[in-house]
Amino acid sequence: MVSLMVDSTTSMLSSWESLIDGRGVADIRVDDDLRSLSADIISRACFGSNYSKGRQIFSKIRTLQVILSKGGLHIGLPGLIYIPTKSNREIWRLEKEIDSMILKVVKERIETTQEKDLLQMILDAAKTYGDEDKLSTNVAADRFIIDNCKTIYFAGHETTATAASMALVLLAAYLDWQARARAEVLETCSDGVPDADMLRRMKMLTMVVQETLRLYPPGTFVVREALQDMKIRDLVIPRGVSFWVPIPVLHQDPELWGPDAHQFNPERFSHGTAGACKNPQAYMPFGVGPRVCVGQHLAMIELKLISEWILQIASFS
Ligand code: HEM
């Protein structure tokens, strides 16, 4: 997994290097590039050697995401999504196109060898999930595969790119932390390409990423439905009600994190989450419980790798 991230990151950094002028300076807008990088990594992790087709699929999903995000007013008004407006027709066309592109890649995969990527795991799950979830018909199995491919992209693409951008913004604003993190990077990995073991040993960088995810968690809510009537202190939650737990509020509560809860201070994580917060469960950038983010380890490695490499080649502000 780390090597596929290294491949993607190398090409982004080469394109940055070409922008450096004679004084060794470049003015680079990083957020779009980080979004592309994250899409690239997810495409490789999900679709393996069929990655370029995966990239096309994900680029269409991104277009769909942009159109959907503009439709905020539709939320809560039942029936509007069925009216053939210009944007709805565009959404339906894209959805159909994405579904058939995913199924085409899946068909090719089934006819060729098995690879060890996320798509293969989804295909295996579709086979074994079986009758219990009514996936025995081909239509249901196809839906399961398509929806899971889309979920992985939606859940893993923008989140990681946003966190990477915020980590760089914070390191650019707190030059003392940039210097400390760079010193660790240069000590641990002096000759360029980091591996999984080196990334694991970079404690300072882990603290910076953890603090970034505390202050700017890309997933802002964890949503749950009460399966039975329940009571949390004085709050009564009837069965069937969905409740939203606002992650940033928990992450910046001075009662849990101390008086500097609103400040960037990676040092608080020097003894792990338990040392940083009165109630470690309140730190939930990746959610909590059985539905915790399945991509959290991949995301942490990706975030550390990107920051590590940029720290190694450049000073930034
Ligand atoms: C910094 C990056 C990321 C953040 C902050 C993040 C955050 C989250 C959060 C808050 C949830 C909800 C968990 C819950 O309800 O308890 C979630 C779920 C999920 N995430 Fe992530 N995520 C990230 C990266 C990724 C990546 C890279 C992938 C895929 C490779 C991914 C795949 C998923 C999936 C599939 C779910 C749904 C899990 C389920 O419902 O069982 N995420 N993520």
Side-chain angles (χ1 to χ4, degrees):
M1 197 62 87
V2 174
S3 63
L4 72 83
M5 290 182 194
V6 166
D7 284 349
S8 300
T9 313
T10 310
S11 50
M12 182 188 79
L13 293 182
S14 310
S15 75
W16 285 6
E17 270 163 4
S18 68
L19 300 173
I20 298 174
D21 66 19
R23 297 164 301 147
V25 177
D27 192 1
I28 302 171
R29 180 164 182 150
V30 298
D31 53 347
D32 281 344
D33 286 352
L34 290 172
R35 205 175 288 119
S36 290
L37 173 61
S38 166
D40 215 59
I41 290 173
I42 284 281
S43 309
R44 287 174 195 263
C46 192
F47 287 96
S49 59
N50 248 332
Y51 127 86
S52 60
K53 284 187 189 149
R55 194 78 173 78
Q56 288 165 21
I57 294 169
F58 286 152
S59 134
K60 290 209 182 287
I61 297 181
R62 167 102 188 116
T63 312
L64 180 64
Q65 196 177 18
V66 172
I67 300 176
L68 288 170
S69 69
K70 288 183 186 150
L73 287 175
H74 290 187
I75 293 170
L77 296 177
L80 280 188
I81 53 164
Y82 302 108
I83 296 174
T85 57
K86 191 169 170 244
S87 86
N88 278 349
R89 272 184 282 129
E90 178 70 357
I91 290 169
W92 300 335
R93 188 188 60 75
L94 275 168
E95 281 182 335
K96 228 169 136 186
E97 220 176 312
I98 292 164
D99 289 5
S100 70
M101 283 169 85
I102 292 177
L103 286 179
K104 197 160 168 256
V105 173
V106 166
K107 196 163 172 282
E108 281 170 20
R109 170 62 62 86
I110 291 168
E111 283 162 6
T112 55
T113 51
Q114 293 208 339
E115 283 189 56
K116 238 183 139 193
D117 55 22
L118 291 175
L119 177 61
Q120 195 56 50
M121 287 162 77
I122 293 170
L123 293 181
D124 291 344
K127 256 188 266 160
T128 53
Y129 238 47
D131 303 335
E132 191 188 316
D133 279 36
K134 299 190 176 58
L135 289 173
S136 44
T137 67
N138 280 343
V139 175
D142 285 355
R143 201 62 262 158
F144 175 87
I145 292 162
I146 291 166
D147 288 348
N148 273 285
C149 284
K150 285 184 184 166
T151 302
I152 286 189
Y153 184 77
F154 274 119
H157 164 230
E158 199 85 28
T159 43
T160 317
T162 308
S165 295
M166 288 318 300
L168 294 183
V169 167
L170 289 165
L171 285 169
Y174 294 87
L175 294 176
D176 52 335
W177 276 99
Q178 191 182 136
R180 287 175 74 175
R182 181 174 299 106
E184 180 189 65
V185 162
L186 295 176
E187 196 189 314
T188 320
C189 173
S190 51
D191 65 345
V193 186
D195 60 27
D197 181 54
M198 289 173 190
L199 291 173
R200 210 170 300 119
R201 279 188 278 131
M202 290 179 197
K203 191 176 169 200
M204 202 80 70
L205 202 57
T206 309
M207 285 155 51
V208 167
V209 173
Q210 284 174 317
E211 181 70 339
T212 305
L213 292 172
R214 182 185 75 84
L215 285 173
Y216 300 101
T220 42
F221 287 97
V222 164
V223 186
R224 295 291 185 268
E225 180 184 330
L227 297 179
Q228 57 193 45
D229 293 345
M230 51 189 287
K231 203 169 173 209
I232 303 176
R233 295 201 178 153
D234 297 332
L235 184 68
V236 176
I237 305 175
R239 178 170 174 252
V241 166
S242 287
F243 56 98
W244 294 37
V245 180
I247 301 174
V249 175
L250 280 178
H251 280 189
Q252 291 191 40
D253 183 344
E255 283 198 14
L256 294 168
W257 299 90
D260 68 346
H262 301 300
Q263 283 156 26
F264 178 71
N265 176 18
E267 198 65 57
R268 73 177 83 245
F269 284 102
S270 57
H271 298 291
T273 317
C277 179
K278 259 192 202 158
N279 179 350
Q281 275 79 32
Y283 182 62
M284 50 167 86
F286 296 105
V288 64
R291 304 310 296 252
V292 73
C293 174
V294 294
Q296 61 174 315
H297 300 300
L298 189 145
M300 281 304 285
I301 294 175
E302 188 175 330
L303 291 172
K304 284 168 70 176
L305 178 85
I306 296 170
S307 323
E308 190 273 351
W309 217 332
I310 295 173
L311 281 165
Q312 214 183 122
I313 60 163
S315 299
F316 48 95
S317 56

